[in-house]
Amino acid sequence: MSTRPTAPSPDASPARLCRWVLGLALRRRLSLLAVGATTLLKVGVDALKPWPMLFLVDYVLQAKVRPAWAQTWAEFLPGAESPANLIAWCVAATVMLFFLSWALGLVLSYASVSLGQRMVYDLATDLFAHLQKLSLRFHAKQSTGDNIRRVTADAACVSMIFKDALLPLATALASLLVMCGVLWRVEPGLTLLALAVVPWMAVVLRRYAKPMLDLGYQQQQVEMRLYQLTEQTFSSLPVVQAFCREELNDQALARANRDTIDATLALTRVQLRFKILMGLATAAGTAAILWFGTQQALAGHLSIGVILLFLSYLGAFYEPLASVMYTGLVVESAAGSAKRVLEVFHTPHEVNDPPGAKALGRARGEVRFENVTFGYEPERAVLRGISFQAQPGECVALAGATGAGKTTLASLIPRFFDPWEGRVELDGQDVRNLTLRSLRTNVAMVLQEPFLFPLSVAENIAYGRPRATQAEIEAAARAARAHDFIASLPKGYRTVLGDRGATLSLGQRQRLAIARALLKDAPILILDEPTSALDADTEHELLAALETLMSHRTTFIIAHRLSTLRRTTRILFLKDGGVAEAGSHEELLARGGLYARFWQGS
Amino acid sequence: MHRYRPLLRYAGRQRRSFAAIAALAMLAALLAAAQPWPMKLAVDHVLNKLPLPARVSALLGGAEWLLSPPGLLAVAVGGGLLLFALNAAVEVLLVKRWTVAGRRMVYDLSEDVFARLQRRSLLVHSRNAVGDTMSRVTEDCWCLYRAVDAVFISPAQAVLTLGLTFFLMAQLDVALALVTMGVVPFMVAASFLVGRPLRAAARLKREIESRIQAHLQQTLTGIPVVQAFAQEGRERERFQQFADAAVRAQQYSTLLGSLNSLGAGLVTTLGTGLVLWLGAQHVLEGRLTLGGILVFIVYLTTLQSQVKTLANVHTALRNAQAGADRALEVLEAPPELPEPVSESRSGVSADRRQDRPCAQEMRRSAETPLRQSSLGIASEVRGHVRLENVVFGYQPDRPVLRGVTVEAKPGEIVALVGASGAGKTTLVNLIPRFFDPQQGRVLVDGREVREFRLRNLRERIAVVLQEPFLLPISVAENIAFGRPQATRVEIESAARAANAHEFIGRLPQGYDTVLGEHGATLSGGERQRLAIARALLKDAPILILDEPASALDVGTERLVFEALERLMAGRTVFLIAHRLSTVRHASRIVVLQDGVIAEEGTHDELLARGRLYARWNNLQFQPDAPSRNHLA
């Protein structure tokens, strides 16, 4: 069901985009079939709409000699001998046809909206799945809001292209064909006359469709400035007031308002001109048909009903023609969104399972960095030639100034990124040769920002092990010193957390994050400033509890506090992307190097 | 209605346009009524050769040719084209007039509402979401447009059209005219059901959509956790479930809407059918001509739309009322930050004028002697700030500050520390009078802040806040935010002093580069240096720094601290900081706890005292803070 193999490049031509969208629609064959069948039915019914009226006028009210088809009908209908009954039949037929067309319209809109939505969400699901697998490097560069917009708003482009461009195009072509065919059979001469307005309409549409779209876009842009100005003003009001900008803002708003009126007027002018020119086609067509038709009728070649038929079809010409012309514009305006969607599909997964990747069982926990160099931006390495080895069960601290690369180094172990050079090994195997899933199952992490989900407390703790029992969850919470405050929550472990766990304090969120990592029970544990928001007493207690848990795991801990650093077996002191010094706290202090100076500086 | 008189003034300003629009609307109604008659002429009198009514033949009287079938046909065709031309002309005039007058009226109101809102106290704004405030300017002001349209223009046109069409129909067939007028209200009533999905269904759909939004927000911001715990598959499944629910909700709401529409469609077609049926019988009986029934059919549609307009008046008015109330609320709210009586004026428009430069100059010259005479302080001695026993709460019964007294002499650096929520930001916000204390007073240079014109007061104060609030205008304009007339040289020297010149030089268009929303294109440290340059250029004697270094990126902290040092030199500074290392060189450190001062003194004094500050200092100590040597 993946769209990826067929997804065109972000700069695909409109025609290519349409083919892509059709491909997506074909994934829901049944719905597509329903939409197609209803469309054809509706076109047919619409073409029949003026016929009862024609019958009524010509053969009932005017009592003309009925041609064969009309005679057949008149004989077929019961009670057709009396004109009153025939009137009733005609009226009934009109009502039926109108109602049928109305109902088919509803069915069609239901079917096409459903299919459109289905396509949008099919695409959105694929997009989301793809986004989730992209490396953290991508996510660090890309704003979350932007990605959300791609999934929620931009994915709607497929529905737009399908429902507002391709479907109307197909409908329009079908109904134009049917109407012209019918008219031709009735009266070829007048048909040609009626069709004379088509080129005129086409020329007008061609001439005005684009300027109207452009001016509409400009008008929206100018109007958007109003919103931006008010938004900016009120979201930065402290600065506005502190810097006395109120009067300038007043002026800016007045100017934006004036510009909006001008832009609206410019748009209105073109719209009016367009409307009048299109109206002129209908008016002139009506006049011509009335003129020639009536003369023909006077000469006895034509009936009034046929003139009415022509006039009503003429009125129905405009809509399908317009949708044919607008198709290109709709696709063009959806192309921007489509591009943003396709860009995501064309961002390769940097971190990928290589062919023949091995699944790793439970690791012993030996971690080795060999000459690792890595940076987020090309030519700006954050880590330079890092080499070290951590034995199973060892507790290694990563220390150094902010920006020295501590978090980056830790992120290479679960393969959030791959190093430019060198290798990271787990139990003697390059992590790139292991399946991502098995590698990450072996690593538990507590990140700087605890990121909780709007799930229950229990589900959050069991995030990495959804099948954990309540007893296991509670044990992990107790070890993380979180059980007490959880118990005091309104629904205990079943309390659902607010957006980003906002109802909890940072310290509480950190403890939940620790519980989550503990429950995962992986041989490697990474703690990135896990206790920064805790008071000294709680921290002390927590670290004591962690100590027993850390004893049979390889632990990497990033910390600032002396008390924490003292507990570790080894400290890697990072500076400018390299390991400047390594050793235990006492050793490093005794050495009197950078690390020691760092502390004495206080 | 009485209450809304202040709003109607805005419409009153456009009264000449509205008079023209009303006249044009009447004309449009006349033309609409005339629309089907050429057709009737052709069908009845040309094709069916019925004799012309006396009035019409008298009208065409003179020319014999006109009364012949080809002549009458020419009249019908020409009449149709003429009607089209007139209609087009009226529409052009009408739409243009209404576009300008309608929008002008709305924008006049929105400009006044905006002017009032941006001068309101931050206290008021703290209670309202930005979106809500925005909508008062951008949405609520449209109430005028809707009200004028719904009350004056559309109904007038509708009533006229209804009367006219009924009159004309009655000329043709009184009985059928009455039936038609009787049928139309039913059709309109039914049409209100069209496309109205039940509210519950719509709400359900919105709810699911916002859950999808939230789920995306959660997973994409928590992506490190999702990946670290290898839960991509589960999150995808959850998304799929939401997506299925969204599609189902959409289908459900469309289905309900369709069912409603179906009923409406039935009523409408049956109504048309009834008129057609009776009409056709009348034709057979000879009471109505063929052309006559065609006129009826056309009028049926016209009548529907006109009755709908009338039926909508009430709803439109009610909708407009909600907006009007919200706009009025802003316009009529008493100012929370009254300025000195001698200098202020009353009324909305006067309020907007309050800070015109010339008026300000006059005030300034009037003010200086007062200060010298009454207090005996020379105007050069500036930057003395004293908060005296201030009490303040965002809600009156929940004070955030409970009697705080702080003094800063010119050139002193006063640091405020304390847990979040202790009231640090609230305290400094009293100085530029973002809001007033409920008790106590705030003095700047020996004068109570309430005695200053707001503008004069705020000109003495520069701020650098945690969030730099940059605007999507050019870099130069951002720096000159407080002094728009600053020269490029001044802007550049401010940028240099703020260590910002170098990175600005690297931007695509240098100082003319337009920033993204909230400075999105810059890093945290770069944004903060622009905020510092902005404060430097303002060159005010009092400086408020509210956690200026809490959102910095790695590597630029040092540059920011250097810049801050230059900014602080020679000014009275209130500094709020999280990291204690940044405050230790302050002249005085004030420790706030639960809205009162817990302790106060220099870094060394407080350490020696061994209480709150000393404890935090031990706890918070961070060997990595590169700042400790840079912030004097």
Side-chain angles (χ1 to χ4, degrees), chain A residues 346-361:
Chain A
H346 280 260
T347 311
H349 291 141
E350 284 175 54
V351 176
N352 235 333
D353 283 345
K358 276 203 304 187
L360 181 73

Side-chain angles (χ1 to χ4, degrees), chain B residues 133 139 165 183 254 281 324 345 395 466 486 527 551 559 604:
Chain B
T133 309
E139 303 297 332
T165 41
V183 166
T254 315
Q281 280 177 339
R345 284 162 223 171
Q395 282 117 34
Q466 184 173 6
R527 289 205 294 266
L559 293 171
D604 294 334

